[in-house]
Amino acid sequence: MTTYKGIDISNWQGSVDFSEVKNSGVQIVYIEATEGNFYTDPYLQEFYDGASSSGLLIGFYHFFSPSVLASEQAKYFTNAISGMTSDCRLVLDLEEAGSYGSAELSMLANEFLEAVEINSGLNVALYTYASFANNNIEPGYGLEKYPLWIAEYGTSSPESNSIWGSSYAGWQYSDTGRVRGINASTDLDLIYDGMFLDDREDIPKDQKQPQRIPGTRQEPSTQSGVIYYTVQEGDTLTSIAQKYDTTVHEIAVTNSIANPNLIYVGEVLKIYPGNRSIINRKKVFTTTYIVQSGDTLTSIAI
């Protein structure tokens, strides 16, 4: 089984010198495209052009939001990468369960992947952490038919799980790698032939054929990138929210924080500053409420 050196990148890495990345020995770049149905990575187009012009093999991934319909996310993802070409399977990044149990989440993930295949005409794969695979998804809901790109660090090989056993088509073995041309820590991956759209093992990588995502290429996103904030001694969600012109509720929802009064020094929070917040980009649903005897605005708001 042929092994390829890969990285996966997002706005977190900032601008990248892809010629230096290639010269460092990297062969494949997986690029974050979207999250939920509300966020397109602002570096998507720049990364795609840079990686393409440097002769790197390319793949795209979507970060799954449990609070958004799977079909909507699939449409949003494929629309964002329309008109581009990919060498590798389109990937669902599944690492948040929200309020769903393992069976429900497995069904939603399968629904997303099936919809992406229909929308794009391309094959897909699933990325998740080894611990997440064992605790939050389960067999019997269709995920076993897709290749697995697994993340686990500090081991000689990823641990087995109930769906794929010890089989995997990609392994993210570090999230603190340093690569020439990138001025930030970077995820490091080993990618195998099963992650390619053209997965014939007898075809050299430079002869594997990329495939085009149907549609017209989109304009670059005007959304600003997220901020990754490391919690410091004395921080509270209130002080962090004030610093970035957002709300405690939005930070808690984005980071799946059950108790907003409990955060830890060194914890990394994803923050959407000001009106770029995750909640402000979601659809707003309204409802009609008939005031009852004893109601106050406070009790209704709660």
Side-chain angles (χ1 to χ4, degrees):
M1 185 166 55
T2 306
T3 303
Y4 302 88
K5 292 180 66 176
I7 59 173
D8 54 278
I9 57 175
S10 68
N11 61 85
W12 172 240
Q13 275 68 45
S15 291
V16 172
D17 184 337
F18 285 98
S19 61
E20 283 292 295
V21 170
K22 185 175 184 182
N23 289 338
S24 74
V26 170
Q27 298 163 290
I28 299 173
V29 177
Y30 255 97
I31 302 168
E32 180 191 45
T34 48
E35 179 177 342
N37 66 345
F38 44 80
Y39 180 74
T40 299
D41 195 297
Y43 285 91
L44 169 60
Q45 305 283 346
E46 177 183 327
F47 284 168
Y48 175 74
D49 288 335
S52 297
S53 64
S54 296
L56 289 158
L57 301 171
I58 294 172
F60 301 99
Y61 73 91
H62 169 87
F63 190 92
F64 191 75
S65 173
S67 62
V68 180
L69 289 174
S71 58
E72 288 188 10
Q73 296 190 61
K75 182 177 180 180
Y76 187 78
F77 175 41
T78 52
N79 183 63
I81 58 176
S82 63
M84 300 181 181
T85 60
S86 183
D87 299 278
C88 301
R89 289 171 177 260
L90 305 182
V91 169
L92 169 62
D93 179 348
L94 185 67
E95 49 187 285
E96 290 185 359
S99 60
Y100 292 107
S102 57
E104 293 174 303
L105 188 65
S106 300
M107 286 189 286
L108 290 174
N110 184 65
E111 180 183 343
F112 173 90
L113 290 166
E114 288 182 344
V116 169
E117 285 192 320
I118 292 170
N119 294 346
S120 68
L122 305 186
N123 291 331
V124 297
L126 178 75
Y127 163 95
T128 193
Y129 287 89
S131 58
F132 195 91
N134 280 317
N135 297 318
N136 296 94
I137 53 180
E138 60 183 80
Y141 296 94
L143 296 180
E144 59 275 358
K145 62 180 178 282
Y146 304 111
L148 173 66
W149 174 12
I150 195 72
E152 188 171 14
Y153 316 133
T155 63
S156 59
S157 62
E159 66 179 282
S160 178
N161 61 77
S162 61
I163 298 180
W164 295 272
S166 297
S167 299
Y168 51 91
W171 175 24
Q172 183 187 93
Y173 62 91
S174 175
D175 63 347
T176 57
R178 304 298 299 189
V179 176
R180 290 206 313 270
I182 303 178
N183 294 319
S185 295
T186 305
D187 296 333
L188 303 180
D189 305 282
L190 298 178
I191 303 294
Y192 305 102
D193 285 295
M195 286 297 289
F196 284 94
L197 292 169
D198 184 352
D199 61 2
R200 291 170 292 174
E201 293 188 24
D202 59 324
I203 303 296
K205 67 178 180 63
D206 57 352
Q207 296 179 26
K208 292 179 184 290
Q209 295 301 307
Q211 296 186 32
R212 182 178 179 276
I213 295 94
T216 303
R217 186 168 170 181
Q218 302 298 304
E219 294 294 323
S221 173
T222 58
Q223 293 173 320
S224 296
V226 297
I227 290 171
Y228 290 85
Y229 179 79
T230 303
V231 176
Q232 308 294 315
E233 185 74 36
D235 277 343
T236 65
L237 282 191
T238 299
S239 66
I240 297 170
Q242 291 172 344
K243 181 176 182 178
Y244 292 105
D245 190 26
T246 183
T247 67
V248 169
H249 179 61
E250 288 176 345
I251 297 176
V253 169
T254 301
N255 295 276
S256 301
I257 298 174
N259 182 357
N261 296 314
L262 187 60
I263 57 175
Y264 303 94
V265 173
E267 182 178 3
V268 179
L269 301 177
K270 180 188 286 187
I271 300 172
Y272 297 89
N275 61 11
R276 299 189 296 272
S277 68
I278 185 173
I279 292 176
N280 287 333
R281 286 196 297 273
K282 291 182 181 179
K283 291 182 178 177
V284 177
F285 297 92
T286 60
T287 187
T288 300
Y289 178 79
I290 300 174
V291 176
Q292 310 294 316
S293 177
D295 277 345
T296 66
L297 286 182
T298 299
S299 65
I300 295 172
I302 294 173

